[in-house]
Amino acid sequence: AVGAGAAAGVGAVAYLKGELQTTYAASLDRTWQAALDALKDLNYRVISSEKGGEEGNIEAKLVGGNEVKISLSIPGPGTTLVKIRVGVFGDESVSRTINSKIASNLGVQSS
């Protein structure tokens, strides 16, 4: 089990069919806050956010930009899967920027 003081690690980053996926060695609550902070840091406006049990969803938008959807879930003990989609078809560059900010907020390097 990962202790509360343990540093979060990052698993492989995959971009597939318009969606960026990363698994972090961090709790859902910690990753959720890191995602919200990342969006705020990047000047996104959160449109909706809902978290309960073992998952959460965040929708945000840049003024004049595409909508961003971030979904978080718990694939196993002490890990959180983050999926990021920008717009309808995806934008790998923007997804990676958001993911890098989430990783930074968790104190890890993203790929």
Side-chain angles (χ1 to χ4, degrees):
V2 176
V10 61
V13 177
Y15 187 81
L16 193 61
K17 296 183 180 178
E19 185 174 81
L20 187 83
Q21 297 185 15
T22 309
T23 301
Y24 289 100
S27 69
L28 177 67
D29 288 340
R30 195 161 161 242
T31 309
W32 174 265
Q33 191 59 54
L36 288 173
D37 290 345
L39 291 168
K40 180 181 176 186
D41 293 344
L42 295 168
N43 296 315
Y44 282 85
R45 181 175 56 89
V46 174
I47 298 167
S48 68
S49 62
E50 184 177 347
K51 179 175 66 114
E54 297 187 354
E55 62 184 25
N57 292 291
I58 303 168
E59 291 186 24
K61 188 173 173 109
L62 265 180
V63 174
N66 284 323
E67 188 172 288
V68 174
K69 294 183 180 182
I70 301 176
S71 64
L72 299 92
S73 59
I74 300 173
T79 60
T80 302
L81 173 64
V82 176
K83 297 179 182 179
I84 302 169
R85 178 177 291 278
V86 178
V88 175
F89 300 106
D91 183 321
E92 185 172 3
S93 176
V94 174
S95 295
R96 286 189 180 276
T97 297
I98 295 167
N99 190 58
S100 290
K101 193 66 178 166
I102 293 170
S104 174
N105 289 343
L106 287 170
V108 298
Q109 293 286 324
S110 71
S111 305

